Amino acid sequence: MTDQQGRTFVVTGATSGLGLVTARELAARGARVLLAVRDAARGDEVASSLRSAYPGADVEVRQVDLLNLRSIRRAAEEIGEEEAVDILINNAGISMVEHSVTEQGAERHLAANHLGHFALTALLEPALRRSPAPRVVTVTSYMHEKGELDLEHVAWRRRYTPMAAYSASKLANAVFGA
């Protein structure tokens, strides 16, 4: 990866896994990195660790719960105050959780893995458009191949299995990213 100085990245799910590795690599290359995380305390630990590893790293935490539209709106307003967001990396996700639905009535896999990112992306569009070359990266998995979307039944109250719900959310990611 080349030098990323002067570019602002938003990385969801930056406290572990691929999101953490992405944030670390971006910080190492001089990017301004906004860690969009559900758990602000864990985000603060990651930010502190990155600043220690890369003195001068420009890393900040933005709390966002992708299961909650109010939280997404608040985070987007806060992030939208940036001069520009150059790249949004929609990475956060959950897998293999028991059935439950959000306040808005969507099954949690679909809400966290896709709908929350869809809303965040739409709300950050003005900040992305202020960038000379904005990009949105949406992470999915090969499990999209097994997914079936039924947008008439986003609560998955019938025939729920964690694998089917996860796969459907990954299919939604793939379609969104196309």
Side-chain angles (χ1 to χ4, degrees), residues 7 27 61 69 86 88 91 103 118 133 147:
R7 298 180 84 194
V61 175
L69 285 175
D86 296 290
L88 168 61
N91 165 74
E103 286 179 33
F118 183 90

Side-chain angles (χ1 to χ4, degrees), residues 17-35:
L18 185 58
L20 175 58
V21 171
T22 300
R24 182 177 58 229
E25 294 301 313
L26 291 168
R29 284 157 182 83
R32 174 173 168 66
V33 184
L34 303 181
L35 309 174

Side-chain angles (χ1 to χ4, degrees), residues 128-170:
L128 286 158
R129 290 203 179 268
R130 289 193 295 271
S131 170
R135 296 285 182 266
V136 175
V137 176
T138 300
V139 177
T140 189
S141 82
Y142 74 93
M143 291 305 294
H144 76 278
E145 295 173 356
K146 297 180 184 283
E148 294 180 22
L149 284 174
D150 182 355
L151 298 179
E152 297 294 319
H153 301 283
V154 296
W156 278 79
R157 295 194 193 281
R158 297 179 286 159
R159 64 180 175 84
Y160 179 83
T161 67
M163 182 61 76
Y166 175 77
S167 297
S169 75
K170 294 289 114 180

Side-chain angles (χ1 to χ4, degrees), residues 5-146:
Q5 291 232 337
R7 298 180 84 194
T8 299
F9 290 75
V10 175
V11 182
T12 69
T15 58
S16 64
L18 185 58
L20 175 58
V21 171
T22 300
R24 182 177 58 229
E25 294 301 313
L26 291 168
R29 284 157 182 83
R32 174 173 168 66
V33 184
L34 303 181
L35 309 174
V37 300
R38 182 182 61 227
D39 184 336
R42 283 182 61 199
D44 288 338
E45 289 173 16
V46 168
S48 178
S49 172
L50 292 173
R51 287 187 207 106
S52 293
Y54 308 104
D58 189 356
V59 180
E60 293 183 25
V61 175
R62 299 292 188 265
Q63 196 280 329
V64 60
D65 180 353
L66 292 169
L67 294 171
N68 183 300
L69 285 175
R70 284 187 302 272
S71 176
I72 295 165
R73 282 188 187 102
R74 183 195 42 72
E77 287 175 10
E78 191 176 303
I79 293 168
E81 293 173 0
E82 296 290 320
E83 183 175 313
V85 171
D86 296 290
I87 299 182
L88 168 61
I89 301 175
N90 291 325
N91 165 74
I94 60 174
S95 65
M96 307 309 134
V97 297
E98 292 300 316
H99 183 266
S100 66
V101 296
T102 66
E103 286 179 33
Q104 291 79 32
E107 185 276 328
R108 282 183 31 202
H109 286 99
L110 185 63
N113 297 351
H114 173 65
L115 296 173
H117 284 118
F118 183 90
L120 183 63
T121 301
L123 292 167
L124 288 179
E125 184 181 359
L128 286 158
R129 290 203 179 268
R130 289 193 295 271
S131 170
R135 296 285 182 266
V136 175
V137 176
T138 300
V139 177
T140 189
S141 82
Y142 74 93
M143 291 305 294
H144 76 278
E145 295 173 356
K146 297 180 184 283

